Amino acid sequence: MKRSFKRTLVFLCMASLAASGLAAEIPRLVSKDGRHALMVDGAPFLMLGGQAHNSSNYPAALKPLWAAIRDAGANTVEVPVAWEQVEPTEGHFDFSFVDTLVKEARQNKVRLVLLWFGTWKNTNASYSPEWVKFNNQRFPRMLDKDGKVFYCLSPFGEETLKADRKAFVELMKHIRQIDERDRTVIMVQVENEVGTYGLVRDYGARAQAAFAQPVPASVLAHKQPPVPGAASGSWSEVYGPYAEEYFHAWAIASYIEEIAKAGRAVYDLPMYVNNALRDPLEPMAPWKNNFGSGGPTFDVIDIYKAAAPHIEFAAPDIYSPEWAKVTATLDKFQRADNPLMVPEIGNAEGYARYAWLIIGRGALGYSPFGLDYADYSNFPLGSKLKDKAMVAPFAAVYKVFAPMQRQWAKWAFEGRTYGVSESEERTPQTIEMKGWKATVSFREWQMGEKHFWPDMKDLPPGTDAPNGGAAIAQIGDSEFIIAGQHARVKISGSGPNEGKSSMYARVEEGSFDASGKWVMERNWNGDQTDYGLNLPARPVVLKVRLGTY
Ligand code: DGJ
């Protein structure tokens, strides 16, 4: 078949598909060789996200949200949908906010991730309807060891589960109805930061009976005991001092599974849970009131896998800015059976550099919390600022990824991408790639090497706090896309190229156009490459080819 004829045929097919009003492919997660892609409209998608403030889930509050999202250049917005708002009276549903949200998201040309604030929001019942909140008889709260009512709704509340599930199913039906063709909504978070603070588990009658039962086979198959225990038997026999936390995780995950399963049965979008983290650097030990017990903390991801197969992944909400903690958390959540996605990270400037690391590592998405001009500052967990200056550091990163978002997601799925962000120690970091390694250093002047001027005290302006990072995609044997800022990247031979002399063939600065074609602006050479590739404060994208001699 002649090429032009083939092209015409493809065009005609696509035109008739559009004319027929057929739906775009439903978003889904695919995994291969331990890597993952979020498929949107049939191709890998990189979520450059922003999360709304909690109370921005009303039509009037959307205007300042859209303004921030536009300034950020985000392609996806995460917005709560609250049970209290969609079912204020039992059995009477009102999805008018969802309608407005979806319509305005389309006008703003962004996708949506909906956050279902149901039984649990940051562990408590605040977003459940009033008819749930204050009816402990029908919707029981957890009981402590003395039988005292605790703040958190019990995961053993049969009526609570039934009611939450019903509302969630109605929501999913509604989304299917209004969005099956456009697929503006690409994912759903089920509940928000579940778990319980201050109590390891429920001691109500149903919970007590379940705790005495043998550990389910699926949990035994997924979760090894951290300390020697029985191969099977009760929770205490198998998991010893970890039994209560694990049991609570299983109870909450099983509850969420029922909701996710029923929701996906009516409209099968990818679903996930988010997590208020436990300290990833603390030596592993049983719960001692140091994190929300039963939430999908890294130590119980296996239990969530066992109990909630309709949940695709557990995702970390990152509010500790230290590099060692961030990297340890990412290591623990990025697994062959658990795609990495960061649905929340602080919106303070210091968190922007982690976009290079997180996107570079092949995450499905990255989303600062409070990318929203609502009159609310999340300091000290986030920025003191509430205006363009808060958004600017994230916008700068998104600006370079946005034009290559689809390529990047594909490269990540193929295992070609790497990421680095500057630590508080400012020490260089090395990335091992195929046949090459990259050394990324920080606080370098663009000219020369530090040892040329051992007595020099001057430091590059704008580097008082760590803010550097780089993301690299190896797109060929000796070819790379390098994006980043405030960093120096040097590439040298490794593995089969170890010890070989090499030099740059081309170092093109440019960008990808809408069709995915590379557009070169200029070629870097001379001073701009003699001392490594010095990525300035303004993020740049380089297409780099090397050769050996
Ligand atoms: C994490 C929660 O998931 C969000 O809804 C919000 O409460 C933030 N914390 C505030 O930092």
Side-chain angles (χ1 to χ4, degrees):
M1 210 182 323
K2 277 236 185 76
R3 253 180 69 195
S4 59
F5 177 64
K6 228 168 150 184
R7 232 184 277 143
T8 316
L9 203 67
V10 170
F11 173 78
L12 285 175
C13 287
M14 285 171 65
S16 69
L17 199 77
S20 71
L22 277 184
E25 193 182 304
I26 192 163
R28 67 196 167 97
L29 252 153
V30 293
S31 300
K32 192 175 172 239
D33 302 331
R35 292 185 296 272
H36 314 276
L38 172 62
M39 306 294 281
V40 173
D41 299 339
F45 179 81
L46 169 64
M47 192 187 107
L48 303 170
Q51 185 164 146
H53 279 302
N54 288 169
S55 310
S56 297
N57 58 324
Y58 289 86
L62 289 177
K63 217 170 152 203
L65 171 65
W66 297 133
I69 291 301
R70 271 195 301 272
D71 286 348
N75 63 16
T76 306
V77 191
E78 299 172 344
V79 185
V81 175
W83 186 7
E84 66 172 1
Q85 107 189 96
V86 303
E87 197 185 6
T89 311
E90 188 169 6
H92 296 275
F93 292 95
D94 173 2
F95 292 109
S96 52
F97 168 65
V98 178
D99 293 339
T100 306
L101 176 67
V102 169
K103 189 178 101 215
E104 293 189 7
R106 287 180 193 150
Q107 285 163 356
N108 282 280
K109 298 192 171 40
V110 291
R111 306 282 178 155
L112 289 168
V113 172
L114 300 184
L115 315 174
W116 174 239
F117 286 8
T119 302
W120 297 296
K121 155 68 172 87
N122 297 15
T123 78
N124 76 51
S126 49
Y127 278 88
S128 65
E130 269 186 62
W131 52 270
V132 172
K133 272 183 186 129
F134 303 112
N135 187 347
N136 283 358
Q137 211 48 37
R138 185 170 162 212
F139 307 110
R141 289 185 150 78
M142 288 167 55
L143 300 185
D144 72 9
K145 269 188 173 156
D146 305 323
K148 242 180 70 206
V149 172
F150 211 64
Y151 75 92
C152 190
L153 287 169
S154 165
F156 291 95
E158 279 179 308
E159 281 287 302
T160 332
L161 171 57
K162 244 200 256 168
D164 185 324
R165 184 175 53 203
K166 182 172 167 207
F168 187 70
V169 164
E170 289 304 317
L171 170 66
M172 294 310 293
K173 272 190 205 159
H174 190 79
I175 300 168
R176 187 189 65 200
Q177 220 173 59
I178 63 169
D179 197 41
E180 201 166 22
R181 235 198 59 181
D182 297 78
R183 315 289 193 193
T184 300
V185 181
I186 56 173
M187 260 195 301
V188 179
Q189 179 188 292
V190 187
E191 313 292 344
N192 191 83
E193 290 198 348
V194 297
T196 305
Y197 294 112
L199 189 66
V200 68
R201 70 171 178 91
D202 187 9
Y203 294 86
R206 290 193 66 227
Q208 289 298 75
F211 189 64
Q213 291 294 307
V215 177
S218 61
V219 176
L220 289 177
H222 276 84
K223 184 67 189 168
Q224 292 297 317
V227 287
S232 62
S234 72
W235 289 86
S236 299
E237 285 162 348
V238 177
Y239 294 116
Y242 292 87
E244 297 198 288
E245 181 211 339
Y246 287 9
F247 169 76
H248 197 40
W250 168 77
I252 295 178
S254 305
Y255 184 106
I256 289 176
E257 166 66 7
E258 290 301 313
I259 295 170
K261 188 167 77 186
R264 292 185 70 160
V266 298
Y267 189 45
D268 193 16
L269 287 181
M271 296 192 184
Y272 71 94
V273 288
N274 64 331
N275 178 234
L277 307 174
R278 70 177 290 179
D279 188 335
L281 300 177
E282 243 174 38
M284 184 43 64
W287 182 87
K288 48 177 186 297
N289 210 355
N290 48 338
F291 59 92
S293 175
T297 45
F298 68 81
D299 52 321
V300 295
I301 290 177
D302 294 321
I303 294 179
Y304 273 73
K305 295 287 166 199
H310 286 85
I311 291 295
E312 309 263 19
F313 55 88
D317 291 349
I318 299 178
Y319 290 99
S320 292
E322 304 88 358
W323 182 90
K325 279 194 184 168
V326 174
T327 48
T329 291
L330 299 178
D331 286 345
K332 292 184 186 305
F333 278 84
Q334 184 168 31
R335 311 181 353 168
D337 64 353
N338 197 67
L340 178 64
M341 201 279 264
V342 178
E344 293 184 35
I345 188 164
N347 63 355
E349 187 171 5
Y351 289 99
R353 73 192 199 277
Y354 291 121
W356 303 112
L357 172 64
I358 291 166
I359 295 171
R361 287 178 72 132
L364 306 178
Y366 165 93
S367 181
F369 175 82
L371 227 51
D372 183 342
Y373 295 150
D375 196 3
Y376 179 83
S377 146
N378 205 32
F379 182 81
L381 295 184
S383 179
K384 284 181 185 165
L385 309 169
K386 312 175 211 173
D387 55 12
K388 258 182 189 277
M390 174 266 288
V391 165
F394 303 96
V397 182
Y398 284 3
K399 195 170 170 202
V400 304
F401 279 109
M404 58 176 172
Q405 49 183 287
R406 292 291 188 164
Q407 288 100 316
W408 192 273
K410 182 170 169 285
W411 293 327
F413 191 38
E414 292 167 354
R416 297 175 182 276
T417 67
Y418 307 87
V420 155
S421 62
E422 187 175 4
S423 71
E424 294 79 15
E425 287 74 31
R426 317 298 187 91
T427 39
Q429 297 171 45
T430 302
I431 300 169
E432 281 297 336
M433 303 181 289
K434 299 199 174 68
W436 300 93
K437 64 172 179 278
T439 304
V440 186
S441 54
F442 306 95
R443 300 203 95 178
E444 305 259 19
W445 288 101
Q446 289 171 301
M447 160 59 71
E449 303 287 349
K450 277 180 180 156
H451 67 262
F452 291 178
W453 297 286
D455 299 328
M456 192 172 62
K457 297 277 180 295
D458 302 59
L459 287 165
T463 64
D464 292 346
N467 56 6
I472 304 181
Q474 184 166 14
I475 60 169
D477 286 345
S478 303
E479 199 168 9
F480 304 89
I481 297 296
I482 303 179
Q485 66 188 134
H486 288 297
R488 170 181 288 189
V489 180
K490 281 185 175 174
I491 301 200
S492 55
S494 167
N497 289 329
E498 184 79 55
K500 284 191 191 162
S501 301
S502 65
M503 68 186 296
Y504 297 113
R506 299 284 292 172
V507 179
E508 297 182 3
E509 179 181 348
S511 59
F512 286 92
D513 71 11
S515 71
K517 207 177 109 237
W518 174 252
V519 183
M520 180 192 99
E521 283 167 25
R522 61 170 175 157
N523 190 55
W524 285 17
N525 208 337
D527 293 340
Q528 279 66 56
T529 59
D530 286 348
Y531 308 103
L533 309 176
N534 290 289
L535 312 176
R538 170 188 60 89
V540 289
V541 185
L542 304 175
K543 186 162 177 270
V544 176
R545 194 154 39 79
L546 289 104
T548 56
Y549 60 92

